[in-house]
Amino acid sequence: MAREFKLPDVGEGVAEGEIVSWLVSEGDTVSEDQPVAEVETDKAVVEVPSPVNGTVRTLHYDAGDVVPVGDVIVTFDVEGEAAEATDESAGEEATEEPEAAAESATEQASTRTFAPPSVRRLARELDVDLDSVEGTGPSGRVTEGDVRAAAEGHATEPQEEPPDEVRSAVEPVGEQAAEHTEAETPAVESATEPAGRETTLAAPATRGLAKELGVNIHDVPAVEERDGEAFVTAEAVQEYAEGGTAAQGEATAAAPESEREFVEGGETTQPYRGVRRSIGEQMAESKYTAPHVTHHDTAVIDDLVETRTKLKERAAEQDVKLTYLPFVMKAVVSGLQEYPILNSELREDEEEIALKHEYNVGVAVATDHGLMVPVVKHVDQKSILDIAAEVNELAAKARDRSISRSEMQGGTFTITNFGAVGGEYATPIINYPETAILGLGGIDERPVAEDGEVRAAQTLPLSLSIDHRVIDGAEAARFTNHVMERLTDPELLLLE
């Protein structure tokens, strides 16, 4: 019989989701709990599992469509079940069953092996049973390396790694292995001649790359066949696109100067929805609700640089990448304990200011899909290494879009490190309804005047934005001085 599967509520309070990619095609046989689609909400990308064993009859939406929660997205043919009932009560039962199945399947998916979508895609491409892989990442998380190691364990033929320059040219950091398998490296024949197929197999990210480059994926020459269908890799798409560009360039170069024509630039549009729209709405609410004032200062951190250098190797022995951020977070929490008004929330309707007794620090992370803010809870109760490990894990999950809603909630103060990209000072926008945010500039040698002499010192520029309805400028300055004192003399953090 036919079973309709409706888009479940894939996140708390989510009203709609965008079909990022289909992981199955019409006519495919699927098993219960097998991922059938990747759906993007305003917070993350999640995989939607099948609620039944059966065959895909109809995909009701195309990739890129925005679907309201509760709309039918897939119809399955399920063998061995009774024919569809025609009376009204049977119709109601048929409508309710997929919803219950969706909830059950979603719960099962949440208790499966802990791995982000990119790793799950890689496991499918390498034909690896993810549940049989032992994760070596934080909290037992399965990494791309774990999947590749499992694949190599039963490989029957030698495989070659794609060249580094090809990886960096076509794939975002953190999702490289998800876009192609190690065996997908044969040379592409007739790269500039369109193949003109009707159907093509490719990873979702490969289809995304083709769309970005303006390439019809059905025209890209295949590198191999899978299940009797042509299979195209990201490298093949890139080579096909570059081949067309090169050919166009040669033709232009050969034309006489007098016959050259200039093409109007035009424009390219992209959707303003999902995570990007959520970020925009949050920033607008903060900027136009809270009057922002930004206090700038610079900390001399020669001793902190030396301390971090000493501890970096020991941290690496415990598989922890130690940056300056955990030290800053501990210094910030010390400042919040001394000046609690910066760890607050203004509740206008209740006409009260709530001073938070928890110290949950949000860390702004730049991703390919916009800025996301994972939250490290109870920073005051954790060591520098504990904080470093948690920050690294949350940042990785934010970038591969596997982070949960709860891991981005509950923050009381936020830190944004724009200096990692470049720059000294900025005016960070408060993560409303918090009342303050600290921006970190780039650490670098700068001239410092001490005892009548100028010397080169390692410095860290600080930009503290406050909600001036709640926090006075003097309090902001004292808080910044407190933080700077602990960054200048990191041994003071041992007393916290």
Side-chain angles (χ1 to χ4, degrees):
M1 67 172 283
R3 292 281 298 275
E4 293 182 337
F5 177 46
K6 299 179 180 179
L7 178 64
D9 185 352
V10 292
E12 180 183 347
V14 171
E16 63 185 19
E18 177 183 349
I19 305 293
V20 176
S21 63
W22 287 107
L23 306 179
V24 296
S25 303
E26 293 180 356
D28 285 357
T29 300
V30 298
S31 57
E32 183 177 357
D33 201 31
Q34 175 183 336
V36 297
E38 288 182 321
V39 176
E40 178 180 2
T41 70
D42 63 349
K43 294 298 182 184
V45 171
V46 296
E47 290 183 336
V48 177
S50 168
V52 296
N53 297 318
T55 303
V56 178
R57 175 192 287 188
T58 307
L59 302 178
H60 294 276
Y61 289 91
D62 295 327
D65 288 346
V66 177
V67 184
V69 169
D71 275 19
V72 176
I73 58 173
V74 187
T75 299
F76 297 100
D77 284 327
V78 183
E79 297 181 1
E81 294 192 0
E84 288 185 85
T86 57
D87 58 78
E88 183 178 349
S89 61
E92 293 176 357
E93 180 180 353
T95 301
E96 294 172 359
E97 279 187 0
E99 293 179 345
E103 292 180 6
S104 173
T106 302
E107 291 176 2
Q108 292 175 14
S110 66
T111 58
R112 291 186 300 169
T113 302
F114 185 27
S118 60
V119 173
R120 293 187 181 278
R121 286 196 298 270
L122 179 63
R124 289 194 297 272
E125 292 174 359
L126 297 183
D127 195 24
V128 171
D129 180 6
L130 199 60
D131 293 333
S132 67
V133 179
E134 182 177 354
T136 61
S139 304
R141 178 191 183 102
V142 177
T143 66
E144 294 177 355
D146 297 332
V147 172
R148 290 190 178 279
E152 292 172 358
H154 56 71
T156 57
E157 297 181 2
Q159 298 177 323
E160 298 178 0
E161 187 73 8
D164 291 340
E165 60 270 19
V166 173
R167 283 180 177 270
S168 61
V170 301
E171 299 169 342
V173 176
E175 298 182 358
Q176 297 163 342
E179 316 303 343
H180 54 78
T181 66
E182 294 176 336
E184 299 171 350
T185 56
V188 179
E189 297 180 1
S190 303
T192 59
E193 298 179 4
R197 293 182 302 275
E198 293 185 359
T199 59
T200 302
L201 298 180
T206 302
R207 296 183 185 277
L209 176 64
K211 187 175 180 180
E212 291 176 7
L213 297 177
V215 169
N216 184 340
I217 200 165
H218 301 310
D219 289 341
V220 179
V223 296
E224 61 178 90
E225 284 192 358
R226 293 190 178 182
D227 300 326
E229 297 285 352
F231 184 85
V232 169
T233 65
E235 297 97 305
V237 170
Q238 185 76 20
E239 184 173 345
Y240 180 79
E242 292 175 351
T245 302
Q248 183 180 15
E250 291 172 2
T252 302
E257 185 69 24
S258 59
E259 297 179 8
R260 290 184 61 187
E261 295 183 359
F262 295 93
V263 180
E264 296 296 332
E267 65 180 19
T268 300
T269 62
Q270 60 185 29
Y272 181 62
R273 57 182 181 238
V275 174
R276 173 54 60 191
R277 186 176 66 184
S278 178
I279 293 171
E281 292 171 350
Q282 173 76 0
M283 294 297 100
E285 180 183 16
S286 176
K287 189 65 176 177
Y288 295 115
T289 301
H292 284 53
V293 171
T294 305
H295 176 84
H296 301 288
D297 216 324
T298 302
V300 178
I301 60 167
D302 289 326
D303 289 346
L304 176 58
V305 171
E306 183 179 349
T307 299
R308 184 246 182 182
T309 301
K310 290 179 181 178
L311 299 177
K312 186 177 179 180
E313 290 186 5
R314 292 195 176 185
E317 293 173 359
Q318 300 182 43
D319 296 325
V320 176
K321 180 182 178 181
L322 182 60
T323 66
Y324 294 102
L325 185 57
F327 296 96
V328 176
M329 293 171 70
K330 292 294 283 188
V332 162
V333 168
S334 175
L336 296 177
Q337 291 171 330
E338 187 73 17
Y339 302 97
I341 192 64
L342 281 89
N343 200 48
S344 65
E345 174 186 340
L346 173 60
R347 297 171 182 166
E348 294 183 82
D349 294 340
E350 291 82 2
E351 296 183 339
E352 63 184 19
I353 299 172
L355 304 179
K356 302 302 181 72
H357 296 163
E358 291 183 331
Y359 301 94
N360 303 332
V361 180
V363 179
V365 176
T367 74
D368 292 337
H369 303 274
L371 199 67
M372 305 183 78
V373 186
V375 177
V376 180
K377 309 288 177 57
H378 310 296
V379 174
D380 57 315
Q381 303 172 39
K382 296 177 179 177
S383 69
I384 292 288
L385 284 185
D386 289 338
I387 295 170
E390 190 167 347
V391 167
N392 294 339
E393 179 181 359
L394 290 174
K397 293 169 71 174
R399 292 189 179 101
D400 66 28
R401 309 295 297 284
S402 66
I403 193 164
S404 68
R405 189 182 184 89
S406 63
E407 289 172 320
M408 294 193 294
Q409 293 179 326
T412 62
F413 187 96
T414 297
I415 297 175
T416 178
N417 183 18
F418 54 82
V421 180
E424 293 186 44
Y425 300 101
T427 304
I429 297 179
I430 297 167
N431 191 15
Y432 190 79
E434 297 170 14
T435 56
I437 181 172
L438 181 65
L440 308 180
I443 295 175
D444 203 351
E445 275 195 341
R446 297 180 177 90
V448 173
E450 293 179 349
D451 300 326
E453 296 184 356
V454 177
R455 71 178 182 90
Q458 293 288 342
T459 60
L460 171 61
L462 304 175
S463 300
L464 175 70
S465 290
I466 58 171
D467 184 341
H468 213 358
R469 299 173 301 174
V470 180
I471 303 166
D472 295 331
E475 290 171 306
R478 294 189 187 102
F479 168 83
T480 305
N481 289 339
H482 184 99
V483 172
M484 289 170 56
E485 183 180 23
R486 277 143 185 80
L487 296 179
T488 300
D489 185 3
E491 290 185 357
L492 292 175
L493 294 175
L494 300 176
L495 303 178
E496 304 297 338

